[in-house]
């Protein structure tokens, strides 16, 4: 069974009317294959969060979620049966999305079991518009050894599907920025073993403000590493290789070209491959 609940800062279920014709009741919904919580008139409060509960033994691990109309539905892998999704209401968090994200009084929250064809398709396994910085329940998840209070440069921005790369800063030009840290790394965890054979890199290209990396290393969980040569371009750079079974990919040893800018950054990484059937 699937369950969606809107919780307040004390982890209590928020109560209200989903519609003016309905009586006040707790904001939660359940379903077997599909669970949708619709609310017509409630403004999220600071500290509110969404709790999603699934039955991994009965429903499997793959689900499609959409927790706000401004977020693209995402195929995600649940490693745990409960996911607490923190709503991004603080001003610095809101800079990474369109201004209406979580700001409406009308809401439609959805989770459903993934269809088999969605699971086995060749796809971008790193895409997750719902990723959060301190995530340990739902994958894919992006993390980095460079995390600052500037949310527009967090690791999760590199897997959100937003491809605008001709400027920098707030939405729609968010990116993963390294804050001049020469040993910066970016890691995409899948939460299970997947098969991958292609990586696309889209550098932020606000030249001459931006710089770029001319070489970097792509590492896998079995310690296999590939050296990639990259270039100055606003276009997607595609790297294909023999299939690798891995639990993560990591960008390491980023070598910046010698130029007048201190600010190379990554707008998006796309890791293409398949989910393994035994998962």
């Amino acid at each position: 069974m699937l369950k969606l609940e809107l919780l307040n800062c004390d982890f209590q279920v928020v109560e209200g009317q989903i519609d003016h014709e309905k009586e006040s009741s707790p904001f939660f919904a359940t379903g077997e294959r599909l669970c949708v919580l619709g609310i017509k008139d409630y403004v999220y409060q600071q500290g509110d969060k969404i709790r999603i509960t699934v039955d991994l033994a009965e429903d499997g691990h793959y689900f499609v979620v959409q927790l706000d109309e401004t977020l693209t539905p995402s195929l995600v892998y649940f490693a745990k049966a409960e996911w607490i999704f923190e709503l991004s209401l603080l001003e610095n968090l809101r800079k990474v999305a369109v201004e209406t994200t979580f700001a409406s009084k009308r809401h439609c929250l959805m989770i459903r079991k993934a269809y088999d064809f969605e699971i086995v398709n060749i796809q971008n396994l790193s895409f997750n518009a719902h990723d959060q910085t301190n995530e340990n329940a739902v994958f894919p998840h992006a993390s980095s050894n460079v995390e600052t209070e500037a949310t527009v440069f967090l690791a999760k921005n590199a897997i959100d599907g937003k491809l605008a790369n001709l400027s920098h800063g707030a939405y729609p030009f968010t990116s993963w920025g390294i804050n001049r840290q020469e040993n910066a790394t970016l890691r995409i965890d899948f939460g299970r073993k997947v098969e991958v054979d292609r990586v696309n890199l889209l550098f932020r290209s606000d030249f001459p403000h931006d710089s770029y990396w001319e070489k970097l290393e792509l590492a896998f969980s079995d310690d296999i590493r590939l050296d990639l040569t990259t270039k100055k371009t606003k276009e997607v750079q595609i790297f294909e290789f023999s299939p690798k079974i891995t639990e993560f990919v990591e960008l390491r040893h980023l070598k910046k070209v010698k130029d007048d800018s201190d600010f190379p950054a990554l707008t998006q990484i796309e890791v293409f491959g398949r989910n393994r059937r035994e998962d």
Side-chain angles (χ1 to χ4, degrees):
M1 184 179 73
L2 311 177
K3 189 173 185 179
L4 282 166
E5 300 169 282
L6 180 61
L7 309 180
N8 62 22
C9 60
D10 297 319
F11 283 82
Q12 298 171 331
V13 179
V14 178
E15 292 195 11
Q17 294 175 277
I18 63 169
D19 192 331
H20 68 278
E21 296 180 345
K22 304 293 184 180
E23 294 184 2
S24 182
S25 62
F27 285 149
F28 79 92
T30 60
E32 294 299 323
R33 295 199 59 87
L34 170 69
C35 180
V36 180
L37 175 59
I39 303 171
K40 268 191 176 181
D41 190 8
Y42 177 77
V43 177
Y44 290 135
Q45 305 298 306
Q46 182 59 39
D48 283 356
K49 51 192 67 67
I50 301 164
R51 179 163 61 197
I52 303 99
T53 308
V54 301
D55 186 335
L56 299 180
E58 178 180 333
D59 300 330
H61 291 263
Y62 294 95
F63 301 87
V64 173
V65 298
Q66 186 178 25
L67 301 182
D68 189 84
E69 291 79 358
T70 65
L71 297 178
T72 305
S74 304
L75 174 65
V76 296
Y77 179 89
F78 275 64
K80 300 179 181 180
E82 182 181 279
W83 178 25
I84 301 295
F85 184 88
E86 302 285 347
L87 298 176
S88 303
L89 301 181
L90 296 177
E91 185 60 30
N92 68 322
L93 297 175
R94 297 184 59 78
K95 291 181 179 181
V96 303
V98 66
E99 61 270 15
T100 54
T101 302
F102 302 122
S104 172
K105 68 178 183 178
R106 297 175 184 260
H107 312 286
C108 186
L109 318 179
M110 182 275 294
I111 180 172
R112 65 169 172 83
K113 294 182 185 180
Y115 302 124
D116 289 341
F117 68 83
E118 293 175 304
I119 299 171
V120 301
N121 277 349
I122 294 175
Q123 59 192 281
N124 176 12
L125 295 168
S126 60
F127 168 69
N128 183 4
H130 295 72
D131 192 27
Q132 298 195 308
T133 298
N134 297 316
E135 190 55 73
N136 63 2
V138 172
F139 297 89
H141 170 58
S143 60
S144 174
N145 62 343
V146 182
E147 295 281 50
T148 70
E149 293 183 359
T151 57
V152 296
F153 303 125
L154 293 179
K156 70 185 187 70
N157 300 332
I159 63 170
D160 63 4
K162 307 302 183 186
L163 305 178
N165 69 335
L166 298 185
S167 189
H168 67 280
Y171 178 87
F173 300 110
T174 54
S175 60
W176 172 58
I178 66 170
N179 197 30
R180 299 190 179 102
Q181 190 165 319
E182 294 184 359
N183 67 337
T185 62
L186 176 71
R187 175 166 166 149
I188 311 301
D189 280 291
F190 303 109
R192 76 282 189 194
K193 290 183 179 179
V194 297
E195 182 181 292
V196 302
D197 60 7
R198 171 173 163 172
V199 167
N200 292 356
L201 299 178
L202 182 65
F203 289 169
R204 200 181 68 201
S205 302
D206 188 11
F207 307 123
H209 172 278
D210 287 343
S211 183
Y212 66 98
W213 300 291
E214 59 181 356
K215 292 183 182 298
L216 55 87
E217 180 181 275
L218 178 66
F220 304 92
S221 60
D222 60 1
D223 209 32
I224 290 178
R225 307 174 187 183
L226 300 177
D227 292 323
L228 306 183
T229 299
T230 51
K231 60 185 179 181
K232 180 180 182 179
T233 178
K234 66 179 182 180
E235 303 294 334
V236 173
Q237 301 184 61
I238 299 173
F239 302 91
E240 297 178 308
F241 42 85
S242 60
K244 311 292 183 189
I245 305 298
T246 188
E247 296 179 15
F248 66 81
V249 298
E250 189 167 277
L251 300 184
R252 305 172 178 170
H253 305 306
L254 308 172
K255 182 180 178 182
K256 190 184 85 68
V257 71
K258 293 182 179 179
D259 61 11
D260 294 331
S261 171
D262 292 329
F263 304 111
L266 181 69
T267 294
Q268 202 75 185
I269 179 173
E270 299 172 323
V271 184
F272 285 91
R274 294 180 183 272
N275 290 302
R276 302 175 76 226
R277 289 181 183 273
E278 56 265 36
D279 293 330

